Amino acid sequence: MNQYKKWLTHHLAIIMSTIIGIGTINYILDPFWCFGHQHSLNLWQKAPNERQQKANKLYFSPPQYDTLLLGSSRTTFLRQTDFKNLNVFNFSASAMRPDEYLAYIDFAIEDTKQPIENIIIGLDFFGYLTDESYQNINPEEIVNATKSPYYRWKTLVSYDAANNSIRNLRNVLNPSHQNMTYDRNNIHRLFKNNPNNINPIEMQKDVGNYTKNEYAGQPDSNFRYIMNRIKTKHGDRTIIIYTTPVSEPLFRKMITVGHYPHYEKWLKELVAVYGSVYHFMYLHPIAKNYSAYFIDSNHAYPETNALIAKIIDSRLDPKSENFGMILTRDNIDYKLQQLRRLNGISR
């Protein structure tokens, strides 16, 4: 009997030591952003689940953010620190679509300690279209996980956390792995390896994928209802809408596949709901000089997005011939005519 107790005690000690060791590593590296500490070993982190990680960071951070920013991967490259007059939390994530927005806005306002007074939404034209290739993500599952009892402590002993801790440690130790990582301040880092040199073959492939997927759909009949729900529920806060820019090849592809009438309808519906829109998706000089301003067909460099942040932050009225214009209920018809000229539409 004593031999059995000794064997049991020995193995329990091994198990407990292993759990404590894994928990310690996961706490130190904090791959799911549940804790606020920052040091050299957790400075660069991949984001295998941006939605969950950002929900965690927002929920467990002390009160500091007065503005929530939402959007797709395009908006992840807009650095929240580029807003000088607003304290912004960037909740955007890869392939985030409009039907997810309200749940995350509700979460930020109703469940976190953050004093959210402003909501900025970066809208992509593909989010106006149905997309059969889109993998539906339930935002309620994301926020409910974050809010569940003892959630952040349970992550310390999870396999996913341990796997990502090891992966993130490699990122820190190997600079070649640090591209497309987040730092501990929720900034999506990008290191330009080949500035001003987009591979034309890769560009063609990227645009072709849009034809097969994002641009293969038709306008979502629920889009205006989705956007109206946000305005109805949170209209007591300042809501700022902007459209994300794309490169000239991708914009022209949108035209050639027959979406230009849908593009105009999209803008009309946004203006009808929100009254005004900062519009950056058209053929301005930045879209045309895409090698200098875009990573690929649709992701603008952080430095390009910084121009958007400056315009929104300062409430500037950009010159339409340069970069950006403001669409309102009063000027929408005139601006659509102007856009046809800038975009090379003859009618």
Side-chain angles (χ1 to χ4, degrees), residues 51-322:
R51 291 163 175 81
Q52 192 70 69
Q53 289 162 286
K54 293 190 177 188
N56 296 344
K57 185 169 182 61
L58 188 65
Y59 190 74
F60 295 118
S61 292
Q64 57 187 300
Y65 302 110
D66 59 28
T67 303
L68 184 71
L69 173 62
L70 293 162
S72 70
S73 59
R74 299 177 186 178
T75 306
T76 64
F77 290 106
L78 200 168
R79 298 171 297 215
Q80 59 191 47
T81 51
D82 282 335
F83 293 90
K84 304 306 179 184
N85 298 314
L86 301 170
N87 200 341
V88 175
F89 183 85
N90 190 338
F91 206 116
S92 56
S94 179
M96 185 178 287
R97 295 178 68 88
D99 56 1
E100 296 182 61
Y101 297 157
L102 184 58
Y104 295 129
I105 294 171
D106 288 346
F107 167 72
I109 292 174
E110 299 170 5
D111 296 316
T112 76
K113 301 178 291 291
Q114 306 304 326
I116 304 296
E117 293 297 331
N118 311 289
I119 301 164
I120 304 174
I121 302 176
L123 284 165
D124 320 292
F125 176 66
F126 72 79
Y128 181 60
L129 306 175
T130 58
D131 182 4
E132 296 299 327
S133 68
Y134 170 66
Q135 182 180 1
N136 186 46
I137 296 174
N138 186 350
E140 298 294 343
E141 292 182 1
I142 299 292
V143 300
N144 286 339
T146 296
K147 295 187 297 180
S148 64
Y150 312 112
Y151 166 78
R152 61 175 172 172
W153 303 108
K154 289 186 288 188
T155 64
L156 295 180
V157 293
S158 75
Y159 171 80
D160 283 346
N163 187 44
N164 281 287
S165 289
I166 295 170
R167 184 184 183 191
N168 289 333
L169 186 58
R170 289 203 304 265
N171 295 335
V172 173
L173 299 177
N174 189 341
S176 67
H177 292 172
Q178 293 175 8
N179 196 35
M180 297 290 191
T181 56
Y182 278 90
D183 69 12
R184 296 294 289 181
N185 297 312
N186 193 30
I187 305 299
H188 199 180
R189 312 296 294 194
L190 175 71
F191 303 103
K192 295 167 66 173
N193 296 323
N194 295 301
N196 305 324
N197 187 24
I198 292 180
N199 187 314
I201 297 176
E202 289 299 320
M203 172 63 80
Q204 184 178 8
K205 180 180 177 181
D206 196 26
V207 172
N209 286 335
Y210 259 77
T211 306
K212 298 174 185 176
N213 299 310
E214 289 89 344
Y215 285 174
Q218 293 298 313
D220 186 348
S221 59
N222 291 321
F223 178 81
R224 185 162 178 171
Y225 168 74
I226 291 169
M227 302 311 293
N228 258 318
R229 286 185 66 203
I230 297 172
K231 179 65 179 295
T232 299
K233 188 167 186 179
H234 297 292
D236 57 332
R237 288 170 170 80
T238 300
I239 301 177
I240 300 170
I241 303 295
Y242 80 92
T243 62
T244 56
V246 299
S247 68
E248 181 177 19
L250 185 59
F251 191 90
R252 292 200 182 280
K253 178 59 68 174
M254 182 270 293
I255 296 174
T256 59
V257 298
H259 278 313
Y260 200 84
H262 303 147
Y263 164 81
E264 291 191 328
K265 185 180 178 183
W266 172 57
L267 297 177
K268 286 182 178 179
E269 291 192 5
L270 286 175
V271 169
V273 174
Y274 291 102
S276 66
V277 173
Y278 288 92
H279 184 44
F280 298 96
M281 186 193 168
Y282 63 96
L283 294 183
H284 40 63
I286 284 178
K288 294 178 179 180
N289 189 17
Y290 54 88
S291 290
Y293 292 100
F294 283 82
I295 305 165
D296 51 27
S297 72
N298 68 109
H299 294 94
Y301 281 123
E303 293 76 14
T304 309
N305 280 296
L307 302 175
I308 295 174
K310 181 178 180 181
I311 290 169
I312 293 175
D313 197 35
S314 303
R315 303 296 195 271
L316 296 175
D317 187 358
K319 295 180 179 179
S320 60
E321 298 292 337
N322 187 15

Side-chain angles (χ1 to χ4, degrees), residues 320 325-327 331-339:
S320 60
M325 61 176 66
I326 298 177
L327 310 179
N331 73 12
I332 184 63
D333 291 334
Y334 167 75
K335 288 294 185 181
L336 289 179
Q337 290 290 341
Q338 186 181 30
L339 283 167

